[in-house]
Amino acid sequence: MFRNQVKLSQANIPQIAVVGGHCTAGGAYVPTLSDYNIIIEGTGAIFLGGPPLVKAATGEEVGVQELGGAVMHTSVSGTGDYRAATEQHAFSLAREIVSQWKRTPKTIIETASYEEPYYEPKELYGIIPKDRKTQFDMREVLARVVDGSRFHEYQPDYGTTMICGYAHIWGYKVGILANNGVLFNDSSLKAAHFIQLCNQNRTPLVFFQNITGYMVGREYEERGIAKDGAKMLMAQGGSVVPKFTVIANASYGAGNYGMCGRAWDARTLFMWPQAEIGVMGADQAANTMADVKIRQLQREGKELSEEEIAAIRDPVLEKFRRDVEAYTSTSELWDDGILDPADTRNALGMSISASLNAPIDDPHYGIFRL
């Protein structure tokens, strides 16, 4: 982390630290490697060794404030830049400091006048079904997120389980990809082409996930579903425009990858409260794990009753149901937070605005398997 701070400074990226507690040992380098630091009097402290270590190492007895408190560091050592009386005072000072920094010009993308959605965002509460297996039309979601509820759909009659198109959020033009079912060959190809179009015209990408994965089975393997899915992954992972992801319902398996999951460099990734994320759904995972165990026991000559099968399956199912919840994901920092669906529009608008502080590279890709 300290090395990264050095590299950030080398890249002329300013850093500010607000010290509200003890920065001890290696932690002392976080504020001292920052361009500016603020120490809150009474609670903040910076020292390479705290009072117990100092006593053990040298025999010297010294208190926290004398050793590394706000008054000492801002008036004697010069290690601290500003002394704050309270947290509120510290944040006020931080805002003043940041206001002195030179602003980087925003990257220019196509914009339009800001408009509220024509359809009320709070209607999303009635659109999202309680049963995750119940299908719904993602167009109804988009109508309550984008400016003026206007959405220009790309290839509406092809690859219909993938919705692609252009809209504006907070006045910023975006390309949206949203799932309306499992990803087939045609929907994967449609997504790959649309992503390339957005990279060509420097349009940020927004992904709305409700995806169980890419279609499986002999017919689809013969059609090359793995190859077509790889095209979508190549286009999405090689994108140079900012990407943002909302997990609006299900996010399972390779569908999570194709739709810009956490590992695919979304600038922000949010989840809705009822959303789930996992390698597969809880039921499928529990059945798969139970089947493996049952076959193993059968090979050993054991026949299981329905009760014994349930005793194997039910604990696995319960664990997977907990593991795939949005609350588990957020507690593990796999996402950037759980959103009230009606507030999704504002979260995306702020995210897009922040992303434009960085330049957008010229589009370039790896090798597509044709």
Side-chain angles (χ1 to χ4, degrees):
M1 184 171 71
F2 311 136
R3 178 264 185 191
N4 287 344
Q5 282 191 264
V6 171
K7 291 298 182 182
L8 286 170
S9 185
Q10 191 177 32
N12 292 320
I13 297 173
Q15 299 164 72
I16 184 169
V18 177
V19 181
H22 291 187
C23 292
T24 309
Y29 293 110
V30 174
T32 53
L33 284 170
S34 297
D35 302 284
Y36 303 86
N37 66 55
I38 301 164
I39 310 180
I40 300 173
E41 192 170 352
T43 60
I46 302 170
F47 27 55
L48 293 180
L53 180 60
V54 169
K55 183 177 181 181
T58 69
E60 180 185 7
E61 292 195 17
V62 60
V64 168
Q65 297 305 316
E66 293 77 21
L67 182 63
V71 173
M72 191 282 288
H73 275 315
T74 56
S75 62
V76 179
S77 75
T79 300
D81 298 324
Y82 301 87
R83 184 172 79 245
T86 63
E87 282 192 5
Q88 289 80 1
H89 182 205
F91 297 143
S92 176
L93 285 170
R95 292 189 183 97
E96 284 186 35
I97 294 166
V98 172
S99 72
Q100 311 305 314
W101 295 351
K102 180 182 177 182
R103 287 185 177 269
T104 302
K106 291 266 190 181
T107 294
I108 297 174
I109 64 170
E110 185 178 327
T111 58
S113 298
Y114 174 95
E115 284 185 76
E116 292 290 342
Y118 179 80
Y119 295 99
E120 171 56 50
K122 289 186 177 180
E123 291 175 356
L124 288 169
Y125 304 145
I127 292 170
I128 305 301
K130 291 183 179 179
D131 184 354
R132 202 166 289 97
K133 297 177 182 177
T134 301
Q135 189 62 33
F136 60 94
D137 190 346
M138 194 64 82
R139 295 177 185 85
E140 295 293 336
V141 171
L142 300 181
R144 289 152 180 86
V145 173
V146 303
D147 288 9
S149 300
R150 286 191 297 274
F151 179 66
H152 172 82
E153 188 167 353
Y154 171 74
Q155 286 191 326
D157 299 323
Y158 180 73
T160 55
T161 59
M162 169 63 78
I163 299 172
C164 300
Y166 298 106
H168 289 80
I169 297 175
W170 270 25
Y172 299 113
K173 183 182 178 181
V174 294
I176 296 177
L177 295 95
N179 303 120
N180 249 16
V182 68
L183 286 163
F184 292 96
N185 298 73
D186 54 0
S187 47
S188 302
L189 293 171
K190 170 181 170 179
H193 189 75
F194 180 71
I195 290 169
Q196 291 180 74
L197 292 175
C198 289
N199 275 264
Q200 183 188 55
N201 59 23
R202 302 165 77 87
T203 301
L205 291 164
V206 177
F207 297 82
F208 277 85
Q209 290 193 16
N210 179 25
I211 182 65
T212 55
Y214 291 85
M215 191 61 188
V216 298
R218 177 178 174 179
E219 176 187 352
Y220 299 99
E221 295 295 351
E222 289 177 347
R223 290 187 189 178
I225 185 62
K227 184 169 67 171
D228 291 340
K231 293 186 183 76
M232 180 176 171
L233 288 172
M234 187 65 74
Q236 189 266 103
S239 292
V240 296
V241 296
K243 298 182 291 187
F244 311 90
T245 303
V246 177
I247 299 179
N249 206 41
S251 179
Y252 302 137
N256 172 274
Y257 316 151
M259 292 297 292
C260 198
R262 175 85 288 175
W264 291 79
D265 297 326
R267 303 295 179 94
T268 53
L269 183 147
F270 299 108
M271 295 188 75
W272 286 358
Q274 86 297 345
E276 289 187 352
I277 180 171
V279 174
M280 58 184 79
D283 290 334
Q284 294 89 339
N287 286 330
T288 301
M289 298 289 286
D291 286 346
V292 170
K293 183 65 175 177
I294 291 165
R295 289 198 185 98
Q296 178 187 346
L297 293 172
Q298 287 174 340
R299 284 195 299 271
E300 296 170 0
K302 299 177 182 178
E303 289 297 327
L304 300 176
S305 66
E306 290 295 326
E307 291 77 13
E308 289 172 320
I309 292 173
I312 294 172
R313 180 182 181 278
D314 290 350
V316 178
L317 178 60
E318 180 59 30
K319 180 180 186 304
F320 269 93
R321 281 179 174 165
R322 290 196 307 271
D323 288 349
V324 300
E325 287 182 343
Y327 299 95
T328 300
S329 171
T330 290
S331 70
E332 297 286 349
L333 302 181
W334 296 340
D335 56 61
D336 295 308
I338 296 175
L339 286 180
D340 179 338
D343 201 37
T344 301
R345 164 184 171 77
N346 290 331
L348 287 172
M350 287 188 283
S351 299
I352 297 166
S353 175
S355 76
L356 298 179
N357 288 313
I360 297 176
D361 201 358
D362 292 327
H364 52 278
Y365 297 99
I367 304 300
F368 284 83
R369 185 175 293 277
L370 302 175

